[in-house]
Every structure is written in structure tokens, then in C-alpha cells.
Amino acid sequence: MAGSRPRVLLIAELCNPDWVSVPLEGWSLARALAEVADVHLVTQVRNRENILKQGLVEGKDFTALDSTPVERPLEKVGEVLRGKAGVGWTTATALSVLPYYYFEELLWRRFGDRIRAKEFDVVHRYTPISPTTPSTLAARCADAGVPFIMGPMNGGLPWPKGFGDARLREREWLSYIRDVYKLMPFYQSTRKNAAALMMGSRATRAQLSQEYQDKVVYIPENAIDVRRFGTSKAEPPKPGEPLRVAFVGRFVPYKGMAMLIDAAAPLVREGKVRVEFIGDGAEMQNLRAQVAKGGLESGVTFAGWVKHQELQGRLSKNHIFGFPSVREFGGAVVAEAMALGLVPIVMDYGGPGEIVSPSTGFAIPMGTPQEIVERVRGVLEKLVADPSVIGPMGERARARIFKHFTWKAKAEQVLEVYRWVSGERGQPDFGMPLAD
């Protein structure tokens, strides 16, 4: 591999250019890695048609495996246990493990001989991102003498105190016994036999036992597609203009939209702040009722879902990104908003608190719901009183994202991990979290 492009078997079961969240992350990193390495992508058959539309050649550039015979029965179980769409993610992750074991078995049948023949320098499992999903491949690759790496992995952020009601409304019953996943088959084997474990957050790294910490490289989970974000730019508020605050995401309890409404309410009534909610979900009815009860209809609006390709134009009309989510693993939308020059207000907990630095936004200390409302309101009042700080802070936010949080930057970081496990360099350390 020395001096050449590494040959990588990239496993991204979730990988789709036309979807959002983790499937889009899988696709984005796969394409970025293809610029610096010779990548053969292995994914699930559900992604096949959309990948073909992007011009990739099946068999040459990617392989699609069909694990649906095991997936479909468990999907029906999930529908019963999870109820409303968009909640019960711990349950969904647990139910995905058995189909994923089958997916990896199909992969080994197809590629095991080629791995043993060392046709690949590295086997890299990117998705699933969750650290709770073990791999049957780590030990097999170790026996074959081919480095197996995972990540960036992210997840497992504990529920903060004071949000028990939101936890129940999210149907997060399994989160109470979440550490049971460490007893799952292949959990210890995965970590023992992996050559490197890329961790996407400090919280996820903290879950790993001390005996495996020497395998860790910190690389944040999220990044932006520079073709979709960053070509537009938010303008700071003009004198006398209301401060425009945007939220983007699924309308579920832990995202904190109700707290954002309460925080902004006095300023909305005074005509100093307007809030736009972009998205939809189970909490929509409750949020509309909250706005109506508070007499806030003139300053709080609901845009519904906006296509990801059109989100840049919509967001760039705002000044502030209000996102007080109390249990956010990654926070890709925070990076996207910052790339446009919006100043973020997030919780200093989980992924958003690692994307936002003190010079680029406001990371609010965790507390009770009322404490969070008061702290977010304090930031909004400060910005209303002195909006001159918004422009410079937004510029610094843009610079931070384009330095550290593009898919190109992430692919270059992962490439250094490939070089490390191949013996070409020492263990990389990019900082934790990444500095401005």
C-alpha cells in the first residue's frame, strides 16, 4: 500500500444518495473516500437503484446484498413496538442487529476468499454507525491478516436527568437497559480483533472499556456536502429587523422545540424575534397548540418538510439556528446551518456541543427544562441587544465547518487511519474535539 491508493472494501449497509440522515452519510463518505482510495462499496439491495442512477457500475464499483428475508419479519415487530414513526430508536437499533448479522454473513460468502487472498488492504465498516451493533467480520479479517476498522461510530448518549416524560413519549423503553448490548454475541470479539476504532463523539468513546482505548481515533460523525451547503450565505440582521431563528428536524420530544418556543416567547410578542420550524413529526399538534395558547402565531411559523436540496436557500434567510436538542448523537443539521453562517444555539451535550466552539456559537449547559429555557432566552436577549456580534460569529462558524467538517476533510482523516493500520505512520490524533 505504501505510496499508493489503498484498496478498501467499504461496508455501508445504510448508503443512499437520495435519502437523509445515516444513509446519506454512508453515501457521502463512500464518494469522498473514492477520491483518495480504490473503494469497493458493499451495501444493501434497497440502495441499488439510487446508486445506479449516480453512475456507479454494479460489480465493479459496488455490490448490493439482499438481507430482506431476515429484515422484513422484524420490521413488522418494530412497527408494533415503536408505534409512531420517528420514535423508539433504541428499539429499532436492537431489532436491526439480527438482519445485520445475516448481511455480514452474505458479505463473507461473497468476499471471504478475496479478503483471505489480500485483494484489499483494509476492510472498513462504516454503517451501521451505532456502537451497539457488533461485527462478525472483525475476527475473520484478523485471521486473514487484513486490518478491520469501524467508524466513525456514534450513539449511546444517556438521557439527561429531568426528561423522563420525553423519554417515555419517545418510547425509549430499552434505553433503561441499554448496556445489555455489551453482552451480545461478537461484541467483545469485534473490539478485540479490530485494528482501529474511529469514534464520532466523546460520549461514545467513554463507553469503550480501557483495554481498547489504544485503538481509538476521534473523528466526528458529521460533515456537509459543499454542493448543497455553503454556496448561499446568511446575512446579519439589518438595523431594526427582527432576529430570525430557524429550527430544522423531526418533531419529536427530545429535539427541544417546546423549550425553544418558551424561550423566545417574550421576544416574539415584542416583535424582536421570529421563529421558523422546518420539519414535521408526532409533536406538530402539541407545538401548534402551544403557539396558539401563547398568542405567538404572528412570530412562530411552521414550514413543514423542505427537500434537503432546497434547505440551503430556506435556512440562509435566517440569522440564528435554534437547536436545543437534549439527546443528539451527531447533529449534521448544526454543521449545515453553520456552513451558511447561521449562529447556532445548541446544548453542550452530545454531537452539537462538539461541532460548536466558543467562538462560533453558543453551547448551553445541560439542566432542567426550565433552566434550559432561561439559558436559551438569555442568549436570545443578548443577541437582540447587540446583533453586531452575529455577522463575525457566523463567519467564524463557516470557517470552522469548511476546515473540519466537509466530507473531503473527513475522507482525508480516514485515509490517515488506513495508513496507520497498514504500518505507514503512527496513530493519528486530530484533537478531541477539533479546535478552530
Side-chain angles (χ1 to χ4, degrees):
M1 173 177 159
S4 62
R5 290 164 58 95
R7 301 166 300 170
V8 181
L9 186 67
L10 180 67
I11 305 167
E13 192 265 356
L14 296 166
C15 179
N16 199 302
D18 295 338
W19 295 359
V20 295
S21 191
V22 175
L24 183 58
E25 290 181 33
W27 170 257
S28 298
L29 184 60
R31 299 321 300 150
L33 285 171
E35 296 295 320
V36 297
D38 293 334
V39 173
H40 187 90
L41 170 68
V42 185
T43 190
Q44 214 273 352
V45 72
R46 74 175 77 85
N47 306 308
R48 178 178 179 272
E49 293 303 319
N50 289 344
I51 290 175
L52 287 171
K53 290 176 184 177
Q54 296 295 319
L56 272 67
V57 178
E58 190 168 12
K60 174 180 176 291
D61 301 315
F62 79 100
T63 297
L65 302 176
D66 187 2
S67 55
T68 52
V70 178
E71 275 186 9
R72 284 175 180 158
L74 289 172
E75 285 176 354
K76 294 179 180 179
V77 174
E79 290 173 2
V80 173
L81 293 177
R82 296 179 67 199
K84 301 174 184 176
V87 297
W89 287 99
T90 304
T91 301
T93 301
L95 291 173
S96 71
V97 172
L98 186 58
Y100 184 72
Y101 284 160
Y102 180 58
F103 175 85
E104 284 199 346
E105 183 60 32
L106 295 176
L107 187 152
W108 186 256
R109 293 176 193 173
R110 183 76 64 92
F111 290 96
D113 289 342
R114 295 177 64 183
I115 293 171
R116 283 190 289 259
K118 294 185 170 55
E119 291 186 27
F120 303 99
D121 299 305
V122 177
V123 176
H124 175 188
R125 191 193 94 174
Y126 179 39
T127 73
I129 284 175
S130 172
T132 66
T133 306
S135 176
T136 64
L137 298 175
R140 287 167 160 172
C141 288
D143 288 343
V146 176
F148 176 86
I149 70 174
M150 290 174 60
M153 293 181 282
N154 203 8
L157 192 65
W159 275 88
K161 294 180 181 179
F163 290 88
D165 178 63
R167 189 177 190 176
L168 292 175
R169 286 158 60 206
E170 290 277 350
R171 298 193 175 211
E172 285 291 337
W173 305 306
L174 288 183
S175 65
Y176 291 95
I177 55 170
R178 189 180 183 281
D179 281 352
V180 170
Y181 77 88
K182 295 181 180 180
L183 303 176
M184 293 173 62
F186 305 105
Y187 174 83
Q188 294 295 343
S189 170
T190 299
R191 284 144 181 79
K192 177 181 177 181
N193 290 289
L197 300 167
M198 293 182 286
M199 294 297 179
S201 70
R202 289 173 290 186
T204 304
R205 179 171 188 167
Q207 299 168 36
L208 189 67
S209 78
Q210 190 59 42
E211 64 183 305
Y212 305 124
Q213 289 288 335
D214 60 346
K215 298 183 177 186
V216 170
V217 177
Y218 172 81
I219 300 177
E221 173 193 343
N222 294 118
I224 65 159
D225 183 340
V226 296
R227 296 167 300 177
R228 294 188 181 184
F229 292 91
T231 57
S232 292
K233 182 180 173 183
E235 297 295 333
K238 296 179 176 63
E241 180 183 11
L243 196 67
R244 293 195 297 272
V245 180
F247 169 94
V248 178
R250 293 180 297 114
F251 289 8
V252 291
Y254 77 83
K255 295 284 186 178
M257 295 91 68
M259 293 189 297
L260 180 58
I261 293 172
D262 281 344
L267 296 166
V268 169
R269 293 190 189 99
E270 295 171 10
K272 295 178 179 179
V273 167
R274 293 179 180 172
V275 183
E276 179 180 45
F277 287 94
I278 301 172
D280 203 346
E283 287 296 292
M284 175 65 89
Q285 184 175 350
N286 292 336
L287 295 171
R288 287 190 179 277
Q290 180 183 356
V291 169
K293 183 178 180 181
L296 305 171
E297 294 95 336
S298 63
V300 179
T301 58
F302 296 90
W305 285 116
V306 173
K307 291 181 180 179
H308 197 248
Q309 295 87 340
E310 300 171 3
L311 185 57
Q312 172 177 242
R314 190 68 178 247
L315 265 182
S316 61
K317 297 176 182 177
N318 294 278
H319 313 120
I320 305 298
F321 187 67
F323 195 73
S325 176
V326 298
R327 192 171 179 259
E328 199 71 28
F329 305 139
V333 70
V334 177
E336 292 169 348
M338 290 171 67
L340 302 176
L342 274 72
V343 173
I345 302 174
V346 302
M347 301 310 301
D348 191 10
Y349 191 68
E354 297 175 37
I355 297 173
V356 177
S357 66
S359 68
T360 61
F362 298 89
I364 306 298
M366 184 58 70
T368 66
Q370 186 55 41
E371 287 171 338
I372 292 171
V373 167
E374 292 171 357
R375 290 165 185 170
V376 172
R377 183 180 298 156
V379 172
L380 291 174
E381 290 174 340
K382 182 186 302 185
L383 294 173
V384 166
D386 183 12
S388 66
V389 303
I390 293 174
M393 186 170 280
E395 289 293 340
R396 293 192 295 270
R398 281 171 56 84
R400 175 169 171 78
I401 296 304
F402 282 97
K403 179 179 179 181
H404 293 301
F405 293 90
T406 66
W407 289 111
K408 179 178 184 295
K410 191 176 300 296
E412 289 171 349
Q413 292 170 334
V414 173
L415 178 62
E416 294 307 308
V417 177
Y418 293 164
R419 289 175 172 159
W420 169 45
V421 299
S422 298
E424 295 182 20
R425 58 155 294 164
Q427 184 173 1
D429 183 355
F430 305 112
M432 186 178 71
L434 304 181
D436 285 341

